[in-house]
Amino acid sequence: MSRQQDIKGLQHNIVHYESTGSTNEDAKRLACEGAADGTVVMADAQSAGKGRRGRKWQSPVGSNLYFSLMLKPKFAPDKASMLTLVMALSVVQALNKEMGDAFDYQIKWPNDILVNGRKLCGILTEMTMDKGSIKSVVIGVGINVNQEQFDDEISDCATSLLIEKKRIDTQAMIPERVELLKAVLEFFDTNYERFCRNLDLEFMKADYEASLVNMNNRVKVLEPAGEYEGIALGINEQGELLVQIPDGSIKEIYAGEVSVRGNYGYV
Ligand code: BTN
């Protein structure tokens, strides 16, 4: 079941489902059906929540924030991957606004958000194209808000705002999910507007790097062709991770096929 919903102050058309398969799939379908640029699909539960690399995203009812923002940008397809970094920073900014300085949020390049070395938020960006142009970009965001337990296979590396609140016994209030959504969209709108001016990440590079858990840390880069180690030096204006390898040269890592691992709990 869906209903249209206006959230004061937002230009976004919000489509809300009590339960759905995947909000990313809904957003892609709505894009094909002519939904407007900026449409947001949110759900209280997902039966087929999707993570990156074909993984599942646990989406129990009523506890977390699951939403997908659908955009119909006019820029070239090779710019779209930067939007995941724009969203990652927007989520960190929103969490800081909503929860004060209760937690230290860290971004694991390109777009996982960690607290205490455990994953709090994941982002899955999917693009559909038509004759070489972008038809839609769907940025799906899952933020673990009130979940108290995770399945065995991820219980060591996943966390939620509620788990972290109990761990450090902070008085900070956990935001209502809709308030968190509203804050994320407000920050995203500002960041997206700035991104669209030059189609690069120069405007947010310093803020992104300030939260980057990989910064100046040893990382292992797993590419289809093989793996190597180096020190992460930050990102460039295209959102690629800069990794200095032992011969002193610097590799620019594009997010696509690559996995980056480091020594910070969650890999
Ligand atoms: C990851 O693997 O880290 C990405 C997880 C993305 C999960 C979100 S929840 C809302 C949206 N709908 C989905 O099916 N996936 C994304």
Side-chain angles (χ1 to χ4, degrees):
M1 189 187 76
S2 79
R3 62 189 152 90
Q4 305 285 310
Q5 174 173 308
D6 285 333
I7 292 181
K8 202 165 180 265
L10 296 179
Q11 301 300 314
H12 301 279
N13 181 28
I14 312 273
V15 179
H16 177 259
Y17 293 95
E18 277 161 23
S19 181
T20 188
S22 156
T23 57
N24 267 33
E25 291 303 315
D26 295 325
K28 283 191 271 182
R29 190 194 68 246
L30 289 170
C32 289
E33 292 170 4
D37 185 26
T39 296
V40 173
V41 182
M42 68 179 293
D44 285 340
Q46 298 182 115
S47 56
K50 299 194 304 178
R52 281 185 294 139
R53 302 175 203 289
R55 297 187 188 123
K56 288 185 182 148
W57 186 258
Q58 283 183 30
S59 311
V61 64
S63 51
N64 300 323
L65 179 57
Y66 318 112
F67 74 92
S68 300
L69 168 62
M70 188 274 286
L71 300 169
K72 293 184 167 176
K74 299 274 179 277
F75 50 70
D78 65 345
K79 305 288 179 195
S81 66
M82 284 186 268
L83 294 175
T84 54
L85 283 79
V86 175
M87 181 57 87
L89 180 65
S90 306
V91 171
V92 168
Q93 291 168 324
L95 288 165
N96 276 322
K97 177 184 173 220
E98 292 296 314
M99 296 216 53
D101 58 2
F103 307 126
D104 182 21
Y105 306 101
Q106 296 189 302
I107 300 173
K108 177 182 171 282
W109 181 86
N111 54 10
D112 286 342
I113 293 163
L114 317 181
V115 174
N116 185 34
R118 293 170 178 229
K119 183 158 164 173
L120 178 80
C121 167
I123 300 173
L124 174 66
T125 299
E126 299 184 277
M127 178 169 67
T128 50
M129 298 200 356
D130 185 25
K131 300 187 193 98
S133 302
I134 296 178
K135 226 163 105 182
S136 70
V137 176
V138 170
I139 309 170
V141 181
I143 305 177
N144 298 327
V145 180
N146 291 310
Q147 191 163 347
E148 295 202 70
Q149 283 189 320
F150 292 87
D151 286 354
D152 285 350
E153 68 268 23
I154 61 166
S155 61
D156 287 345
C157 59
T159 194
S160 70
L161 292 176
L162 183 60
I163 291 171
E164 294 305 315
K165 177 177 158 71
K166 287 182 176 170
R167 184 179 63 82
I168 62 166
D169 197 19
T170 171
Q171 297 299 312
M173 297 290 288
I174 293 176
E176 292 295 320
R177 286 171 293 155
V178 72
E179 292 305 317
L180 188 53
L181 171 65
K182 201 168 146 181
V184 172
L185 293 175
E186 281 173 3
F187 279 105
F188 184 87
D189 288 351
T190 303
N191 292 329
Y192 185 56
E193 200 260 318
R194 296 181 74 189
F195 170 75
C196 287
R197 284 184 211 161
N198 294 322
L199 297 179
D200 69 34
L201 300 181
E202 164 143 38
F203 75 95
M204 55 169 258
K205 184 169 139 46
D207 288 340
Y208 184 92
E209 287 180 342
S211 296
L212 188 61
V213 68
N214 315 88
M215 194 76 186
N216 299 321
N217 275 326
R218 178 164 292 283
V219 292
K220 185 187 274 187
V221 181
L222 287 78
E223 288 185 338
E227 60 179 63
Y228 54 89
E229 290 194 347
I231 303 292
L233 303 178
I235 57 167
N236 65 15
E237 284 152 18
Q238 305 305 309
E240 293 164 327
L241 188 69
L242 304 176
V243 176
Q244 186 162 42
I245 58 173
D247 71 6
S249 63
I250 295 172
K251 296 230 180 210
E252 297 175 331
I253 319 251
Y254 180 75
E257 294 283 296
V258 173
S259 172
V260 172
R261 303 195 173 181
N263 294 322
Y264 22 77
Y266 173 76
V267 287

